[in-house]
Amino acid sequence: MAEEIKRSVFSVGSKAGRRDEFTAEQLPGKWTAFKATFSCGMSKVLMASLFCVLFCTPAIAWVVLFSSLFLSRVGASFPYGIFDGLGYAGPGALTEGLNSAYILGAMRYYEYALIEFSVLIPCIAVGAIGLGGLVYVARLSMFGGADSRNIKVIRTFFTGVKYTWSRALVGGFLVGASVFLMIFCAYVFDAYALGLGGKIVTMIFSIALIVVVSIYAYYLVTIAANYENPFGSTLKDAFTLTFVRMPANLLCAAFVALVVGLAFLLILFLGNSTFGTIFWFVLFFIGFYAVCGIFVAFNQASFAKKINDGMSERESKARTEESYAAIRAAKAAGDRPAKNKQAQPAKYVNPKKKKKQTENEKPVPVQKKAAGGYSEAELKQMEEDKRRLLDEETAKEKIATEDMSVYEDDE
């Protein structure tokens, strides 16, 4: 009983169905699969990323607008560097005033940051819908190979949005909430002058939560892109795969962090120069697609091990049940094979008499097969037939060579 409960809790893909002909297929390796996501061509990658950036526009616009309109006012009201020189002797009233100004400034900045990131949660959810369409484009490119260049980007992107939008919304809200929690933990320690050690520990756990929630969100989207699965089953399957496949998931997250981290480092290094703008372009128009491609390639291995086998078995059982249902329906409709009218019913034999006859019968000796697969009796019969044919041919030759002139009448 405990084993059945355990299977029901940790089973994955119990209700997943085939989305298309690529659903149960797996490419040989993660790196090969990731390279195949770019097989559709760079122009189509850029076009699909453009549509994804359009969905991310609310989040980008809100961050830029809030920074320019609200955070600048906080800085003007409570200028930075007000603690410069406080290590020296000064009037007590001045020190208390500066402390009060600093505390008020920190509290105001903390309040504005919470407002910014609370509004950012639904904006991130909308951006996640665009990532769902990008995941679907990357998936078809990965499985399409040479045919992926024939992909219609607009139709494919919005087909992916149709399949994944509800799961992407859930994942986006969770990621936005985890980011909000991280910002809350970061600013609350500064606003209330709490200990640095507690801030470090809290930040580590909040960042780990963002990583796990991001993995879960991408599983939601990739499962929806690969399978026809009910909403509740998708939530459960994504949660199970997130923790059951944690080592592979962390490796995937490390690759994503490497791609995004290198892009941000180059942007920070180049600053506001022309090359910095180019790397911002690369981050938005290729980095999003690369991140989706990494998750698509890594998650296929999880699906092959946890979902595809069970789905194929269910499909086989369904086909068998359909065939039996068709047979039962045919019998119910009267479509049975016609009986042979010449066939006679079997003669009744008393079981007791049949048993006595069986005991009295002698077992027939099994003839051993000689070379060539013939029995000894068959070989003897063949020898006799051959000897008889030779005798007949010899007699005919003797008659043909005999002198018949002795039987002719004299004239």
Side-chain angles (χ1 to χ4, degrees):
M1 186 68 180
E3 185 179 357
E4 293 180 359
I5 295 175
K6 184 177 179 181
R7 287 181 180 177
S8 64
V9 172
F10 292 100
S11 61
V12 180
S14 58
K15 297 182 180 179
R18 190 178 297 274
R19 174 72 71 189
D20 50 34
E21 66 273 16
F22 303 125
T23 297
E25 186 177 352
Q26 183 193 6
L27 296 179
K30 298 180 180 64
W31 176 242
T32 304
F34 174 69
K35 289 192 298 182
T37 58
F38 288 88
S39 60
C40 61
M42 190 56 66
S43 61
K44 294 187 177 182
V45 169
L46 294 175
M47 186 181 297
S49 300
L50 174 62
F51 285 109
C52 181
V53 171
L54 292 178
F55 278 89
C56 297
T57 301
I60 300 171
W62 173 248
V63 171
V64 173
L65 183 67
F66 194 89
S67 300
S68 59
L69 294 181
F70 298 101
L71 293 184
S72 60
R73 295 183 181 180
V74 177
S77 302
F78 303 97
Y80 296 101
I82 57 177
F83 267 135
D84 292 347
L86 288 184
Y88 303 98
L94 178 61
T95 304
E96 292 177 1
L98 291 175
N99 286 335
S100 300
Y102 179 79
I103 293 172
L104 289 174
M107 291 296 295
R108 182 67 61 84
Y109 195 86
Y110 165 69
E111 292 172 358
Y112 273 65
L114 292 185
I115 293 172
E116 178 186 6
F117 284 93
S118 62
V119 177
L120 199 60
I121 293 175
C123 296
I124 292 175
V126 174
I129 297 176
L131 288 176
L134 207 60
V135 163
Y136 193 72
V137 173
R139 174 180 173 268
L140 289 190
S141 299
M142 180 181 67
F143 285 120
D147 297 333
S148 62
R149 293 187 176 273
N150 299 324
I151 289 177
K152 305 297 182 183
V153 176
I154 299 176
R155 184 176 64 185
T156 303
F157 181 86
F158 285 99
T159 300
V161 169
K162 181 182 72 172
Y163 290 153
T164 62
W165 70 269
S166 58
R167 283 76 168 175
L169 274 178
V170 174
F173 271 109
L174 292 176
V175 172
S178 60
V179 172
F180 176 82
L181 180 62
M182 183 189 70
I183 298 300
F184 174 82
C185 295
Y187 283 113
V188 74
F189 280 89
D190 294 335
Y192 293 99
L194 301 178
L196 181 60
K199 180 180 179 180
I200 293 174
V201 173
T202 305
M203 290 299 296
I204 290 174
F205 278 102
S206 59
I207 292 172
L209 179 63
I210 291 176
V211 172
V212 173
V213 170
S214 300
I215 293 171
Y216 175 71
Y218 266 102
Y219 264 119
L220 286 175
V221 175
T222 51
I223 289 175
N226 279 270
Y227 304 98
E228 293 181 353
N229 205 27
F231 184 78
S233 298
T234 304
L235 298 180
K236 182 185 74 69
D237 294 342
F239 183 82
T240 304
L241 289 173
T242 299
F243 291 97
V244 171
R245 299 275 297 167
M246 184 57 73
N249 296 333
L250 291 178
L251 181 62
C252 177
F255 275 101
V256 171
L258 181 64
V259 172
V260 178
L262 286 176
F264 273 111
L265 284 176
L266 289 173
I267 291 170
L268 291 175
F269 178 75
L270 296 172
N272 295 325
S273 63
T274 305
F275 289 102
T277 305
I278 292 174
F279 277 100
W280 272 114
F281 176 85
V282 171
L283 177 63
F284 276 100
F285 287 91
I286 299 178
F288 281 179
Y289 189 87
V291 170
C292 292
I294 291 172
F295 275 102
V296 166
F298 271 80
N299 290 355
Q300 290 302 318
S302 301
F303 299 156
K305 293 181 179 180
K306 300 295 182 179
I307 298 180
N308 291 346
D309 293 339
M311 185 188 63
S312 301
E313 184 178 354
R314 288 194 304 275
E315 288 177 347
S316 177
K317 288 182 180 179
R319 286 193 296 267
T320 304
E321 290 177 359
E322 287 178 0
S323 62
Y324 279 118
I327 293 172
R328 288 193 295 269
K331 288 183 178 180
D335 297 338
R336 298 185 179 182
K339 294 183 179 180
N340 188 3
K341 297 181 180 180
Q342 297 181 354
Q344 298 294 330
K347 186 178 179 180
Y348 174 75
V349 179
N350 193 336
K352 296 182 179 180
K353 292 182 179 180
K354 185 176 181 181
K355 184 177 180 181
K356 290 181 180 180
Q357 292 176 0
T358 306
E359 292 176 353
N360 295 330
E361 290 178 355
K362 294 181 180 180
V364 180
V366 180
Q367 296 180 353
K368 296 181 180 180
K369 297 291 183 179
Y374 298 99
S375 63
E376 295 180 358
E378 290 173 345
L379 290 175
K380 287 181 180 181
Q381 184 65 34
M382 291 169 65
E383 288 291 336
E384 291 179 359
D385 293 341
K386 185 177 180 181
R387 190 179 299 109
R388 187 176 65 254
L389 291 174
L390 290 174
D391 292 342
E392 291 178 357
E393 291 178 359
T394 304
K396 289 179 181 179
E397 291 178 358
K398 184 176 180 181
I399 292 172
T401 56
E402 187 177 359
D403 188 7
M404 301 298 293
S405 61
V406 295
Y407 300 102
E408 295 178 356
D409 295 335
D410 295 335
E411 293 181 358

